[in-house]
Amino acid sequence: MNRSLSGGIVWYDRQGRSKLVDQFHINTDLVITILTSFIRAEVQKVGFQRAVLGLSGGVDSSVVAYLAARALGPGNVLGVLMPYRTSSPQSVADAGEVVRRTGIRHRTVDISPQIDAYFAGEPDASNLRRGNKMARERMSVLYDLSMAEKALVLGTSNKTELLLGYGTQFGDLASALNPLGDLYKTQVWQLAKALGVPPQIIEKPPSADLWPDQSDEGELGFSYRDVDQVLFLLVDCRLTPEQVQEWGFAPEFIARVQHLVRISQYKRRLPLIAKISQRSVGHDFRYLRDWGA
Amino acid sequence: MTGVGDRPQAWRIGLAQIAPALGDVDRNVALHLRFVEQARSAGVDLLIFPELSLTGYNLQDLTAEVAMPASAPLLRKLSQAAGPMDVVVGFVEEDRDFRFYNSAAYLSGGSVVYCHRKAYLPTYGMFDEARYFAAGQRVAAFETRLGPMGLMICEDAWHASVPWLLAQDGAQTLIILSSGPGRGVLGPSLGSAETWYLLNRAYAHLFGVYVAYCNRYGFEDGVNFWGGSEVVDPFAAVVAQADQFSEDLVVAEVDPQVVRRSRTITPLHRDERLEIAWNELMRIRRRVWGEQA
């Protein structure tokens, strides 16, 4: 059996022949068609024309801005820059470049006053608590502006973050529509290239920029390239951990990834409701969100 | 269409690739009427709508709320509005025992000529149909003014016995109503499209029939329905194909003389050995269910 771990895995085509499929090589034309149709359809279905999103200067929010501009027209998209006083100046500059290139409208809301006011009473709060608070503050600003704009909030969480739980619940994980939720980080990079996102945004090390010099891969302890392959094999291909090992990944690494996925399941679900009645929201009151839309 | 002498003449089939609204029958009826109007001006003799065209697909608890008997005045009115044109629509059928079926009705001259109940209800992965629908028990061809036909609904066509039985029963046009979700973006074209196009060509070629595949467009809670409806002739040539990811109406000629020619050149239909299939099915039935079966 042919195998390659440098970005590809063997797949079987319909004739049963093995062939190399590189999960990092999505069909970007097709993905752009689906995602722009998705944004347009789901925004217009609720009677809206507009969308708002937070622009961090990172690749995920940049890609969503490009997609939204194509789907709704740049005049119908509001990008909101929400720096904190320690945010990297490069992040703000990169977000500004996305605004210029896509032609979307933008606003800047400095979240330092409200964050500092709150933590004045919580001086011992950890970086993680401060970061989570900032993520939720940004969510709160976006939802407020979405009401003023009569717009839906676009999320920017990718599949890697969702599966690993690498995001703040009710913070950056909160949105009305999440166009990138079924694309791994490495696939987002590819999509970014196809959309013409500036190379410096694609090439810089991914960071939540919640504190100075934070880096995703440093914090997680592995690279997106590696974890995306393991997730792809476990989740998309439904291989067992033993089978994933045959692709050359260490058992400890696979176990760590599985652990992260399992302990973060709560972040991917709505709050639990205690069932008491015959028919309960969240249990057996089953309607899509698009009900009647 | 009545032939000259005994020779049946060519006629026009139309595929109405619509995006139905979830659970809003009134709005969907209006949508049907628009496409009926367009198809009539294009000289269509039979217009096909997709699976659950009158109700939308992922109905969940809406299933009971949008159900109607096959004798519903709404279906007769649709047929009357179509005038001399025959129409196939998808709807939730309720029987006298209050079971609900994922059904397709062939309408002609103001009445329901035939009603097929989906026999294979996908209940795996993203699908949950058997939770809401009862399964149909019959697979049969039926006569129409345009010749003998067979109806399938989406998953029915993923069980080769269904098109095979319809062809053995005399169908020369196989109609597939579909709400096929699009997925698989690692190849040169959409994974779902590749699979469906493979099935359509295989059935057309193997059974010497026309295959008319009508798939819906639109989104339901982030799930895309990719369209791409097509008519394939008995030589497995594509006579007409609709756009992907948009609403569309395509028209194609169905010529019984092409069926005749294909069956003259490659008489697979003539050479079918029903007695072998029958004997082997009886043997397999004993093996699977035991002697008492």
Side-chain angles (χ1 to χ4, degrees), chain B residues 177-238:
Chain B
L177 296 81
S178 180
S179 285
R183 53 217 196 279
V185 294
L186 297 181
S189 56
L190 185 71
S192 314
E194 280 183 26
T195 310
W196 272 110
Y197 289 164
L198 186 72
L199 293 180
N200 295 343
R201 280 152 194 68
Y203 296 151
H205 210 167
L206 289 177
F207 305 142
V209 295
Y210 276 89
V211 172
Y213 170 73
C214 186
N215 186 30
R216 65 163 286 184
Y217 169 63
F219 286 81
E220 287 181 358
D221 274 22
V223 172
N224 75 77
F225 301 95
W226 57 280
S229 305
E230 66 172 9
V231 178
V232 181
D233 81 7
F235 293 98
V238 177

Side-chain angles (χ1 to χ4, degrees), chain A residues 34-52:
Chain A
I34 294 174
L35 296 185
T36 51
S37 309
F38 162 72
I39 293 170
R40 194 164 40 239
E42 297 288 6
V43 166
Q44 292 176 355
K45 214 179 263 186
V46 293
F48 288 5
Q49 299 296 324
R50 291 199 283 269
V52 299

Side-chain angles (χ1 to χ4, degrees), chain B:
Chain B
M1 204 169 274
T2 335
V4 179
D6 290 326
R7 178 165 291 193
Q9 292 208 324
W11 50 275
R12 279 190 196 181
I13 194 163
L15 306 177
Q17 183 170 295
I18 60 168
L22 184 67
D24 191 336
V25 175
D26 289 345
R27 197 168 1 145
N28 292 327
V29 168
L31 184 59
H32 281 64
L33 292 177
R34 273 212 308 284
F35 274 75
V36 161
E37 212 46 54
Q38 275 184 52
R40 280 185 69 176
S41 20
V44 168
D45 297 298
L46 167 60
L47 181 64
I48 314 295
F49 285 92
E51 175 181 19
L52 293 171
S53 61
L54 285 168
T55 61
Y57 174 68
N58 198 355
L59 292 160
Q60 301 184 321
D61 284 0
L62 283 165
T63 305
E65 298 170 36
V66 298
M68 63 186 94
S71 60
L74 174 65
L75 296 175
R76 292 201 301 274
K77 277 182 200 153
L78 262 176
S79 183
Q80 282 155 10
M85 183 172 71
D86 293 359
V87 178
V88 174
V89 297
F91 70 111
V92 178
E93 182 194 354
E94 179 168 348
D95 74 7
R96 55 190 296 173
D97 297 318
F98 311 115
R99 293 186 195 94
F100 308 113
Y101 299 91
N102 182 339
S103 288
Y106 188 105
L107 313 173
S108 182
S111 61
V112 179
V113 170
Y114 187 81
C115 190
H116 170 69
R117 296 168 171 172
K118 189 174 188 176
Y120 288 94
L121 302 171
T123 303
Y124 58 82
M126 62 183 295
F127 304 106
D128 208 11
E129 289 187 30
R131 182 181 173 89
Y132 303 100
F133 291 114
Q137 302 293 338
R138 286 203 70 200
V139 172
F142 56 98
E143 280 301 329
T144 74
R145 67 185 185 95
L146 301 167
M149 309 219 182
L151 286 173
M152 289 177 270
I153 303 175
C154 213
E155 190 85 356
D156 285 338
W158 285 63
H159 293 264
S161 57
V162 177
W164 179 81
L165 283 168
L166 291 173
Q168 297 319 309
D169 204 20
Q172 291 181 18
T173 306
L174 297 183
I175 296 165
I176 306 172
L177 296 81
S178 180
S179 285
R183 53 217 196 279
V185 294
L186 297 181
S189 56
L190 185 71
S192 314
E194 280 183 26
T195 310
W196 272 110
Y197 289 164
L198 186 72
L199 293 180
N200 295 343
R201 280 152 194 68
Y203 296 151
H205 210 167
L206 289 177
F207 305 142
V209 295
Y210 276 89
V211 172
Y213 170 73
C214 186
N215 186 30
R216 65 163 286 184
Y217 169 63
F219 286 81
E220 287 181 358
D221 274 22
V223 172
N224 75 77
F225 301 95
W226 57 280
S229 305
E230 66 172 9
V231 178
V232 181
D233 81 7
F235 293 98
V238 177
V239 193
Q241 198 173 73
D243 289 340
Q244 293 187 10
F245 301 105
S246 69
E247 287 194 320
D248 205 356
L249 171 69
V250 292
V251 179
E253 189 181 79
V254 174
D255 186 353
Q257 296 311 312
V258 175
V259 176
R260 181 176 189 272
R261 198 154 52 85
S262 83
R263 292 183 178 190
T264 307
I265 295 167
T266 315
L268 302 177
H269 187 77
R270 180 198 69 192
D271 294 346
E272 190 65 38
R273 301 278 304 278
L274 285 179
E275 76 282 8
I276 293 182
W278 174 262
N279 290 338
E280 296 305 327
L281 277 173
M282 291 304 103
R283 179 186 60 78
I284 292 164
R285 180 178 142 147
R286 282 194 303 276
R287 181 171 63 77
V288 174
W289 290 338
E291 288 297 332
Q292 69 276 26

Side-chain angles (χ1 to χ4, degrees), chain A residues 192-212:
Chain A
K193 267 185 209 137
L195 286 163
V197 173
Q200 82 267 13
I201 293 177
I202 304 173
E203 284 154 18
K204 70 182 174 185
S207 167
D209 197 19
L210 294 172
W211 54 85

